[in-house]
Amino acid sequence: MSERPVIRPREKGDVPDDPLSRLRHSASHVMADAVRRLRPKAKVTIGPAIENGFYYDFDTEPFAPEDIEKIEAEMAKIVAQDLPFVRKVVSRAEALRLFADQGETFKVEIIQSIPEGDEISLYQHGDFVDLCAGPHIERTGQIKAFKVLSFAGAYWRGDERNPQLQRVYGTAFASKDDLKAHLARLEEAKRRDHRVLGKQLDLFSVDELVGPGFVLWHPKGAIVRTVLEDMIRRELVRRGYQAVFTPHVAREQLLEKSGHMAHYKENLFGGMELDGQRYLVRPMNCPFHIAIYRSQLRSHRELPIRYAELGSVYRYERSGVLHGLLRVRGFTQDDAHLFLREDQIEEELAGCVRFGLDILRLFGFADVKAFLATRPENFMGEKAAWDRAEAAIRRVLEAAGMPFEVDEGGGAFYGPKIDLKIRDAIGREWQCTTFQLDFQMPERFDLEYVAPDGSRQRPVMIHRALFGSMERFMAVLIEHFAGAFPLWLAPVQARVLTVSEKADVWGREVQARLLAADLRADADLSADKLGAKIRRAQMEKIPYMLVVGERDMAARVVSPRTRDGQQMPATPLDELAQRLAAEAVPPVLGATPAEKKPTG
RNA sequence: GCCGGCCUAGCUCAGUGGUAGAGCAUCGCUUUCGUAAAGCGAGGGUCCCCGGUUCAAUCCCGGGGGCCGGCUCCA
């Protein structure tokens, strides 16, 4: 099963034509004009509006950071001139001549790729003419709020075999306030960056010596992960899954059989040869679970079989793509493989979707969208089976009342799949959960079960992961909660803060009582003043700060304060311990699962 | 992998062709304090690594590594 990428909002294909996109598209023309004024030799290519702004790609020398202001200043002049955008339809020959004369070889290439018979239009403002389908705003003066954001290398037509161009990113909004709000959102996202918070909160690190893309979970990060894992394990049992453990290394033949050697070779990690045998570190768990399935003859009565494992896998990812916990080279999937009869597809998928939604809701991810990827050109297996499977998926999603989009032909060659996308606290979308139907692996491994009539039948597989990977989900959670984990997840749930040394005895007793109530509690008995202790605890985003001074000690109470700065009335220790313990229990999942236990 | 930027104390960052600094953290002493930083003092550096230029390199040049923004990729 693949670890799915983050879906960063991005336009592709169709040209959007809402007013804001139109404004941004026009702003990209103005930017291209500005760059051409600054660098007459720069060749222009394309410059579309995108989700939160626009970009334009140029064939020119790389830009330097100080070019941002220069380009902005030049753009401001063009805006101030309030030039009209003029549309003009020209013949193919005219267009070709115009851009060829200017040496705009990329534009010439674009014109040549426009289907014969399509209208070719130009948009001009001032002296700047661009090949463009439009539409645009009326005048440059309408661009009231814009900003050049960054530079990047980008390949011509997005193909890395093509020359690399210089991309300039910018954004534009209808008003200065909107722009300001957007820049504030960018700041907020930066503030929540899991890489920054991971360091500040001492959750994890990546060490150059250990290797890029390999995560070291520090004690506090390990607590969060353990809580998540415990919750998963508990739910797996409730839903009829069986936990298995399998090795992280295997003989090369296993991955040859699974097709990974052929289809996944460039991502395989660390081959080694021992005793004349070649071994590889695993990039996926499925072949191992399949090996367990194959260890004995299976009856139709046993199905569905659901093997689950928090399976660590290693994949070589190109160095430039690594990113915090979101894109790593070693990670642990909350993986499971279901082996079923074809007539069980619908019910099992429904169970998977329910399971996934239940889990996601625990973290406050209520806005979940599904994406159904259907049969691609080079599909494997029988068309009729695909049709049945896709129909089953649609029924499942409809029954679950889930909005879903269809990605026609976007499925893997071995089967259709469903991905769930969640929206986090500041509106960004992430994809973690995935369910993939697989007709191919059972074939490759010649999996069978004995049908009621005694015949040997081939099972279908479902690969599924709910968190996707522990690493990725952790990153999403850190950013979603901005590091302030809910009580049940917080590495330190409560910290005792003594006002002075005189309360140390009581402070220790309070901590002991909390520990006895299964709370993750520590105590700050340092010689610092209370204000400093509070500040430290605040920065660690500890949910409860329990202030104890001499007054509290005398009354056998504690004075709690929450991390949102709220002071609560002094509370007797026992009462507080019970209350916090009750509040710290991991949330219970929804309806009792309907899945039946596999018969043993 | 590709384009660009960056790498200085544990962390965040100043800085210079003549081998280096701040704040926080750490350690010691003083302070015993009631809701977001008490005071004083001390220790701490292969200025990412390897080569080159130079009388002299943390600084300039070349190569390598890592990180960051993108691109490409993510069966």
Side-chain angles (χ1 to χ4, degrees):
Chain A
M1 173 168 312
S2 61
E3 186 202 26
R4 294 297 309 173
V6 187
I7 301 301
R8 296 284 187 197
R10 176 140 307 151
E11 302 293 340
K12 53 179 169 191
D14 298 344
V15 181
D17 184 29
D18 54 286
L20 193 53
S21 299
R22 192 183 291 206
L23 174 78
R24 286 168 175 168
H25 187 188
S26 300
S28 90
H29 277 223
V30 170
M31 184 166 77
D33 185 7
V35 168
R36 285 290 306 274
R37 290 183 186 194
L38 293 164
R39 299 186 174 193
K41 280 191 231 149
K43 289 186 193 172
V44 294
T45 67
I46 56 161
I50 53 174
E51 177 78 15
N52 287 308
F54 59 87
Y55 67 79
Y56 208 110
D57 286 347
F58 303 93
D59 182 21
T60 181
E61 299 303 305
F63 292 97
E66 52 273 20
D67 289 319
I68 287 185
E69 290 93 77
K70 291 185 195 157
I71 295 170
E72 281 178 350
E74 208 57 41
M75 287 173 72
K77 288 185 204 163
I78 299 164
V79 169
Q81 287 172 359
D82 196 20
L83 303 164
F85 282 95
V86 181
R87 182 171 196 267
K88 189 174 166 197
V89 176
V90 293
S91 71
R92 178 172 301 257
E94 248 178 295
L96 281 171
R97 199 175 57 241
L98 175 72
F99 288 105
D101 285 354
Q102 294 178 9
E104 294 289 6
T105 50
F106 292 93
K107 288 293 179 192
V108 168
E109 200 180 320
I110 294 170
I111 294 166
Q112 282 162 348
S113 70
I114 295 175
E116 207 68 48
D118 278 20
E119 194 175 74
I120 294 178
S121 59
L122 307 176
Y123 273 85
Q124 177 163 14
H125 68 267
D127 298 330
F128 183 81
V129 186
D130 202 353
L131 174 76
C132 184
H136 282 275
I137 55 177
E138 289 84 48
R139 310 186 68 87
T140 59
Q142 290 166 280
I143 302 169
K144 302 250 188 273
F146 66 90
K147 181 125 186 54
V148 176
L149 294 172
S150 59
F151 303 113
Y155 300 104
W156 168 237
R157 299 207 144 148
D159 188 330
E160 64 180 321
R161 288 165 303 194
N162 286 338
Q164 194 151 31
L165 308 169
Q166 302 304 321
R167 177 168 298 179
V168 186
Y169 281 98
T171 193
F173 283 87
S175 73
K176 288 229 158 64
D177 281 349
D178 286 357
L179 174 63
K180 233 163 88 185
H182 178 249
L183 296 177
R185 274 196 300 278
L186 292 182
E187 282 303 309
E188 174 65 13
K190 222 155 129 190
R191 203 177 63 76
R192 289 168 176 257
D193 190 317
H194 73 278
R195 293 166 301 180
V196 176
L197 288 171
K199 191 180 272 186
Q200 274 170 15
L201 302 177
D202 197 19
L203 300 171
F204 68 91
S205 64
V206 179
D207 185 277
E208 191 174 337
L209 257 185
V210 176
F214 296 125
V215 177
L216 302 168
W217 294 78
H218 294 15
K220 286 183 177 150
I223 287 175
V224 181
R225 174 170 170 172
T226 304
V227 172
L228 293 174
E229 291 185 356
D230 288 349
M231 183 198 62
I232 291 233
R233 288 199 187 90
R234 209 168 51 232
E235 284 307 315
L236 286 169
V237 173
R238 289 178 71 208
R239 294 173 196 250
Y241 285 75
Q242 298 170 290
V244 298
F245 291 102
T246 60
H248 296 188
V249 176
R251 282 171 59 179
E252 197 174 279
Q253 280 98 318
L254 180 71
L255 295 176
E256 256 158 27
K257 185 131 184 129
S258 68
H260 288 119
M261 283 304 287
H263 288 99
Y264 211 69
K265 200 167 177 40
E266 62 284 3
N267 286 292
L268 293 176
F269 227 106
M272 56 194 123
E273 187 162 329
L274 297 163
D275 296 336
Q277 297 288 339
R278 295 201 44 81
Y279 291 86
L280 284 163
V281 183
R282 72 171 170 196
M284 276 165 220
N285 305 307
C286 32
F288 300 81
H289 294 182
I290 288 169
I292 297 177
Y293 180 93
R294 277 158 52 93
S295 66
Q296 51 184 270
L297 185 60
R298 304 294 174 177
S299 154
H300 68 278
R301 296 176 207 278
E302 285 181 81
L303 305 184
I305 287 174
R306 311 182 187 95
Y307 292 143
E309 178 177 13
L310 291 161
S312 295
V313 297
Y314 295 84
R315 299 176 185 175
Y316 171 75
E317 302 284 357
R318 295 165 104 187
S319 61
V321 307
L322 301 175
H323 184 96
L325 295 180
L326 285 171
R327 192 76 182 272
V328 293
R329 285 176 173 166
F331 54 97
T332 301
Q333 300 178 304
D334 64 319
D335 209 356
H337 294 94
L338 284 56
F339 301 84
L340 28 134
R341 293 181 259 122
E342 204 189 308
D343 64 85
Q344 293 172 318
I345 288 176
E346 188 164 340
E347 191 187 334
E348 284 304 306
L349 268 178
C352 286
V353 170
R354 207 153 46 230
F355 196 171
L357 291 177
D358 282 350
I359 293 271
L360 293 174
R361 284 192 191 116
L362 287 187
F363 304 93
F365 299 120
D367 185 1
V368 183
K369 266 191 296 190
F371 289 78
L372 162 59
T374 62
R375 188 179 61 238
E377 296 288 318
N378 61 337
F379 69 100
M380 144 129 209
E382 290 168 46
K383 197 158 168 283
W386 275 83
D387 288 342
R388 285 195 298 274
E390 287 175 16
I393 292 177
R394 283 171 196 271
R395 281 196 300 274
V396 165
L397 292 176
E398 276 154 19
M402 299 232 10
F404 67 97
E405 284 176 31
V406 179
D407 179 7
E408 288 294 349
F413 66 95
Y414 53 76
K417 61 173 182 170
I418 310 173
D419 296 315
L420 300 187
K421 262 193 228 172
I422 53 182
R423 192 175 281 280
D424 77 7
I426 58 172
R428 292 167 305 178
E429 284 193 339
W430 307 88
Q431 185 177 313
C432 297
T433 310
T434 175
F435 312 110
Q436 304 181 1
L437 264 157
D438 183 355
F439 302 121
Q440 198 216 8
M441 287 281 173
E443 197 77 37
R444 292 190 79 104
F445 281 93
D446 198 25
L447 300 187
E448 292 179 336
Y449 65 87
V450 180
D453 64 0
S455 67
R456 303 288 174 106
Q457 300 291 327
R458 183 132 294 158
V460 178
M461 280 178 71
I462 294 175
H463 310 241
R464 55 109 276 198
L466 305 181
F467 289 158
S469 80
M470 301 310 294
E471 286 75 9
R472 169 161 298 173
F473 199 71
M474 182 76 169
V476 173
L477 285 184
I478 291 170
E479 305 210 356
H480 178 60
F481 293 121
F485 293 108
L487 188 65
W488 67 284
L489 280 173
V492 178
Q493 297 173 312
R495 171 169 296 167
V496 179
L497 307 179
T498 50
V499 175
S500 81
E501 215 170 75
K502 292 173 195 149
D504 280 6
V505 179
W506 181 230
R508 286 202 184 87
E509 197 177 329
V510 171
Q511 185 197 1
R513 176 68 185 85
L514 296 171
L515 289 173
D518 281 333
L519 288 158
R520 297 186 290 271
D522 63 12
D524 185 346
L525 304 180
S526 67
D528 291 314
K529 286 164 73 168
L530 181 61
K533 297 186 185 188
I534 286 177
R535 177 180 155 80
R536 202 175 307 135
Q538 284 290 151
M539 293 197 301
E540 290 179 47
K541 301 181 195 285
I542 296 171
Y544 285 101
M545 285 155 260
L546 308 177
V547 175
V548 301
E550 288 179 273
R551 296 204 300 263
D552 304 288
M553 178 153 72
R556 297 191 62 80
V557 296
V558 302
S559 302
R561 171 201 161 103
T562 65
R563 70 184 151 197
D564 2 88
Q566 204 182 4
Q567 268 188 68
M568 296 158 68
T571 312
L573 176 55
D574 273 326
E575 187 189 325
L576 182 83
Q578 282 169 28
R579 226 164 63 200
L580 293 193
E583 197 190 327
V585 171
V588 180
L589 292 187
T592 309
E595 282 77 19
K596 67 185 169 77
K597 291 282 293 176
T599 46

